[in-house]
Amino acid sequence: MKKNDEFELTIEDLSVEGEGIGHFDGMTFFVKDAIPGDVILARCTKLKKRYGFARVQKVITPSPHRTEPICHVAGKCGGCRIMHMDYEEQLRVKQRMVREKLIRLGGFSEEETDRILKPIVGMEKPYHFRNKAQYPVARSKDGQVMMGFYAPHSHRVVESETCYLGDGVNEKIRSVIKAHPEISVYDEETHRGLLRHVLIRRGYHTGEVMVCLVVNATDESASVTTLTETLLPELIKVEGMRSIVVNFNPSEGNVILGQKTKTLWGEDMIRDRIGKITFMISAPSFYQVNSVMTEKLYAKALEYAALTGRETVWDLYCGIGTISLFLAQKAKHVYGVEVVPEAVEDAKKNARLNGIENAAFLLGKAEEVLPAFYAAGGSTAIPDATLPAENTAESLHPDVIVVDPPRKGCDEACLQTMVAMSPARIVYVSCDPATLARDLKYLCANGYELKEATPYDQFCHSMHVESCVLLERVSNRKADS
Ligand code: SAH
C-alpha cells in the first residue's frame, strides 16, 4: 500500500471524530464522510505504520443510513460531522459509544453495562436548537467580510446562508455585520485588525438577544469606537435585542473570549428559563446550548438525586447555578462550586432573582475548593456566611453530590474528597463518555455502585454525547464514622 492507492473498503465503525473506520490489508483506515455500512472505493491519502487515512473516491454501495444532509456545507464546515447519517442512526452510534467507553475504559462488564444503560434520549426536531453561536470573522480574498464556522482542523472560515443548528436571529446579525465591508477585521496571521469573533445568544423561552463583539484590543480605543458606532445603530433594531457588549481579547492564541467585557448598549445580561427558574446569562458564562434537551437532562438529574427537601447537596462545576437552583427547590441546602468568577456572580444573582435562599456559591476549582473545605472542617471556609452553623456536619457529609465537569472530567483530588464526604448518591452529568468512564471506574473502586446511566443528544449532528449517571454508596460509611 502506498499513498494514492485505490482500494475497496467496507466501513464498520465511526471514530470519535466522526470518520468512518474500515480495515484493509491488516491496516485500519479512517475515512472522512464515510459511515458504517458503506462500501466505498477509497484512495489512500496518508500512511502510518498500522493505520492510514483515505478519501471517498466513490460510494460503491451506500449504507442504508446514508442521507442527503439538509445543509450544503455539511462536511466542509467543522460543525456537523455526521449530518450525512440519518438521525436514528446518529442516536444508535452515540448509544454504542457510551456503552463501549463504559466497558473498555470503565472496566464494567457487558452484562452490567447493558443492565444500567438506558436508551439515549434524542430530539424530536434536531434543527435550530442552539441558543448560542460563536462566529469567527475573516476577510475574504475579494475584500468581503466573512462570518461562518471553521473548516475541520483548520482556521479557514466556511460560510453558509443558514446554519441549521442555530437560531434564525444569527442570520439577521450576520447580515448587519457583513453589510459593512469597511469595518476592521482581525487577521490571525498578522495579528492586526479588530473584529475577531461575534458571539450571539438568544434566550430560548424569552427571545432575548445578546451580541458580543470580540475585538483584538486591550481597551476602548478610537478604532474600537469607530467599529461599534458603525454596527450599533443597526444591531439595536434586531428583534429581541437586549444586550450588546464588547469583549477585549488581545491574545494571539485560540481562546475566543478575553478577560474584559464592557456593555455598549442595553443590559449586561439576557434572561432565559429552565423549568420554573429564570437565569441571567452574561457573555462569558457557560450556559447549556440546547435548552430543550437541557430541561430533560436536568429533570433526570433531579430524579436521580431523589430529593425530599431534607438533603444537603453539592453541585460541582455549577456554572451560573443552573443545576444548583433546580435542585435547591427540592433540597435543604445546595453548595455550588465554579471556577469562572462571572459565573459565580451570575449564580448568586440568579438565586436572588428566583427568591432562592438555600443555595451558596463558592469560587474556585472543584479540586481545590472541595478538599480545602473538607480539611478545614466546613463552613468556616465559606465566604458566603448566609448558611446556618448547624449545617456544617451536613455540608461535610452531604446526601448528594452532583458533578458536571468540562470534557476533561474530574480531577482525582476532587474524586478523592467526594468519596471521603461519602454522599449516599452521586449524580454525574458528563459531556465526554471517555472521561466519564474513567471517573466512574475510580468511584466504583471506592465504595460506589453504578445504578443507571442515560445518554442525551444535546449536540445533534456532531459526535458529542451527554450522559446523566446515578451512583449509590455501597458501604454504609456514614454509619461507620
Ligand atoms: N452545571 C452547569 C455548568 C456545566 S459546564 C450547567 O449545566 O450549566 C462546566 C462548568 O465547569 C463551566 O461553568 C466551567 O467554567 C466550570 N469549570 C471548569 N473547570 C472547573 C474546575 N476545575 N472547577 C470548578 N469549575 C470548573
Side-chain angles (χ1 to χ4, degrees), residues 274 285-288 294 297-298 315-324 337-340 343 364-367 403-406 408 411 429 466:
I274 301 178
S285 292
F286 175 90
Y287 185 66
Q288 296 278 0
T294 297
L297 176 72
Y298 287 1
D315 176 23
L316 310 178
Y317 313 88
C318 69
I320 60 170
T322 26
I323 298 180
S324 321
V337 181
E338 163 62 43
V339 75
V340 172
K365 292 184 177 168
E367 61 272 25
V403 296
D404 184 6
K408 69 176 188 309
D411 202 277
V429 178
E466 193 95 2

Side-chain angles (χ1 to χ4, degrees), residues 401-413:
I401 298 183
V402 178
V403 296
D404 184 6
R407 277 188 206 146
K408 69 176 188 309
C410 297
D411 202 277
E412 198 165 314

